Amino acid sequence: MSSQNGSGNDHGHGVNEEIATQGGTHIAASSMKLTRYRPGPAMMVSAAFIGPGTVTACTLAGANFGFALIWALVFATIATIILQSIAVRVSLVSRMGLAEAMMQTVTSPLLKWLASALLIAALVLGNAAYEAGNITGALLGLEAFNEDMSINRSTIICVIALLAGTVILLSEPRWIERILIAIVLFMCLSFLLTFVITRPDIPAILGGIIPTIPEGGLLTAIALIGTTIVPYNLFLHAASVRQRWSESDLPEAQTDSACSIGLGGLISIIILATAATSLFGNGKEISSAVDMAKQLSPLFGSFAAWTLGAGLFAAGLSSAITAPLATGYIVQEIFGRTDAASSRTPFRVGALLVILSGTFGALLNYKPVEIIFVAQIANGLLLPIIAFFLIRLANDDALLGRHVNDWKANVVGAVILAVTGMLGLRLIARAMGWWP
């Protein structure tokens, strides 16, 4: 698809067009066009980061610290919107995927090969570990309905993996997007019903927006940020918007980012608030979202536990689709021409490799926390590096022209880079056993 300019841009006229020309204010332009919002590719980002790990992290944050860490999710959601918006801008203006654009900044053939190998190895290994956790999480969601499931556990794991693989390998991109939108909306409804049943304290929720770190809450706060800002989502989002929109649609794409990712952040806050309302201060030990579902049954009846279990299943299934999808796009961009029919081969190879590896990991019956050990290291290594390259691309005049960052966007980017850098060091240290 070629870029559309001039009169072709019927989405960004008047004040919106003037605002949208500044790289650091696309979100502002998007927020002025809420009436034109329709769920799009950014909903896949929400489907990706609201996985079993996020549901569990939010559950533990609420159960252990009440509403005190809501601010961490607010920060993480805003940071995710900004980083994803940069990825969208780079993709639509340059007409390249994010991996393609990053590889262009490396001039040495040897360094380009090494960078490609490192990127693919880290993301394939990391996403394979995430995939195992996602499939296991979807299984745990089903087990919340009935702990003594009559069907063999391994059979259910294979069925979940087969379902995810069928959606990715046999569906068109637009249908994948629609399926994920439906799953996210179902997930939102499930968690929202649980939230309403528990009747949380709204003023207390608003008070949690003020940044405070309760004793022993630092690692949990960082974990909430780390489960929301996920490196592979940047590649997934950039590839998907490029297939749907052109440069003239940038304001609409930015509106999609702000609204869809904002909805995902709201779901995370709802999960935390539900756990805080029903479990904080009751002295009962909670180690996962499944424990939360069990605890809700005597408090609010089986319906609350069922809705939470349904939400956990949807979270696992949606993330089980997006992790291999993102890997397929990255492999496609590096080893295939994204505008050629033959490029579907590297896409399928990358996606299938993650699905098979994730299924094998899930069948080993390790705990989800143990399964994502490799993913923690990969995420810790990649997040600050990719954030750095992303901000560098956002300041490339030759690549983006009038859409480059302004100084305010660079200040915000520097803050996000600092936080993700500290987050990366913490994740690596914890995964290596250097930080409890």
Side-chain angles (χ1 to χ4, degrees):
M1 289 185 294
S2 61
S3 299
Q4 300 175 16
N5 300 299
S7 60
N9 184 359
D10 60 356
H11 295 284
H13 53 78
V15 176
N16 284 359
E17 182 175 8
E18 182 178 353
I19 295 175
T21 59
Q22 299 299 319
T25 54
H26 288 296
I27 296 175
S30 299
S31 65
M32 298 173 65
K33 299 170 64 61
L34 294 178
T35 56
R36 309 175 82 174
Y37 166 65
R38 289 180 297 174
M43 193 65 82
M44 290 194 290
V45 177
S46 295
F49 74 71
I50 308 176
T54 297
V55 176
T56 299
C58 293
T59 297
L60 295 176
N64 296 329
F65 304 105
F67 302 105
L69 295 178
I70 286 178
W71 64 268
L73 288 175
V74 174
F75 168 82
T77 302
I78 294 173
T80 302
I81 291 173
I82 292 172
L83 290 176
Q84 298 292 157
S85 295
I86 294 176
V88 167
R89 185 170 13 126
V90 169
S91 180
L92 291 184
V93 176
S94 69
R95 304 309 304 161
M96 291 186 290
L98 199 55
E100 289 178 278
M102 287 183 175
M103 290 302 102
Q104 275 204 354
T105 65
V106 182
T107 55
S108 169
L110 177 61
L111 290 179
K112 183 174 292 189
W113 185 88
L114 290 174
S116 300
L118 175 63
L119 183 63
I120 290 176
L123 283 171
V124 168
L125 288 175
N127 285 351
Y130 278 128
E131 184 73 353
N134 294 331
I135 294 172
T136 305
L139 173 66
L140 293 176
L142 293 177
E143 290 179 347
F145 290 92
N146 181 10
E147 293 184 56
D148 301 321
M149 300 184 70
S150 57
I151 302 178
N152 184 272
R153 189 176 187 272
S154 298
T155 301
I156 299 176
I157 288 175
C158 292
V159 170
I160 293 172
L162 182 62
L163 179 60
T166 300
V167 170
I168 295 170
L169 299 177
L170 300 182
S171 298
E172 293 296 323
R174 182 61 65 88
W175 274 107
I176 296 176
E177 180 184 313
R178 290 172 179 170
I179 291 170
L180 288 171
I181 288 173
I183 293 175
V184 170
L185 293 178
F186 173 76
M187 189 195 320
C188 183
L189 178 61
S190 298
F191 289 127
L192 182 60
L193 286 174
T194 311
F195 176 81
V196 171
I197 291 170
T198 58
R199 290 183 289 185
D201 186 350
I202 300 300
I205 294 176
L206 296 177
I209 296 176
I210 301 173
T212 57
I213 300 179
E215 184 178 356
L218 177 60
L219 295 184
T220 303
I222 297 177
L224 291 174
I225 296 172
T227 58
T228 305
I229 309 174
V230 183
Y232 76 75
N233 282 343
L234 297 166
F235 299 89
L236 172 63
H237 198 184
S240 57
V241 296
R242 183 170 172 267
Q243 295 180 358
R244 174 167 176 171
W245 288 314
S246 61
E247 181 181 344
S248 63
D249 301 307
L250 187 55
E252 182 178 351
Q254 301 290 28
T255 298
D256 179 40
S257 295
C259 294
S260 296
I261 298 172
L263 176 62
L266 179 61
I267 295 173
S268 298
I269 292 173
I270 286 174
I271 298 169
L272 188 154
T274 300
T277 300
S278 57
L279 303 172
F280 178 59
N282 66 4
K284 296 180 179 179
E285 183 178 354
I286 302 295
S287 60
S288 70
V290 176
D291 289 339
M292 178 179 170
K294 294 175 184 176
Q295 295 294 341
L296 288 177
S297 293
L299 291 171
F300 307 103
S302 59
F303 182 69
W306 291 343
T307 56
L308 183 64
L312 182 59
F313 171 75
L317 180 60
S318 64
S319 296
I321 293 172
T322 54
L325 187 66
T327 306
Y329 279 133
I330 293 166
V331 175
Q332 180 186 42
E333 291 173 12
I334 293 178
F335 290 108
R337 295 190 304 275
T338 55
D339 58 345
S342 60
S343 67
R344 292 294 294 177
T345 298
F347 172 86
R348 291 191 177 99
V349 169
L352 189 60
L353 182 61
V354 169
I355 293 172
L356 293 177
S357 301
T359 303
F360 176 76
L363 290 172
L364 294 177
N365 290 328
Y366 287 114
K367 295 180 180 179
V369 174
E370 296 173 347
I371 290 176
I372 63 173
F373 175 84
V374 176
Q376 285 185 319
I377 298 178
N379 189 52
L381 285 170
L382 282 175
L383 185 54
I385 296 173
I386 291 176
F388 170 78
F389 273 102
L390 193 60
I391 294 172
R392 181 181 175 188
L393 290 174
N395 286 277
D396 190 330
D397 289 305
L399 189 69
L400 299 182
R402 66 190 180 94
H403 294 286
V404 294
N405 273 2
D406 58 17
W407 69 269
K408 290 177 288 186
N410 283 328
V411 169
V412 174
V415 172
I416 295 175
L417 185 60
V419 173
T420 55
M422 291 187 292
L423 171 64
L425 291 175
R426 175 260 172 188
L427 287 172
I428 295 171
R430 188 176 185 186
M432 298 301 293
W434 301 332
W435 190 344

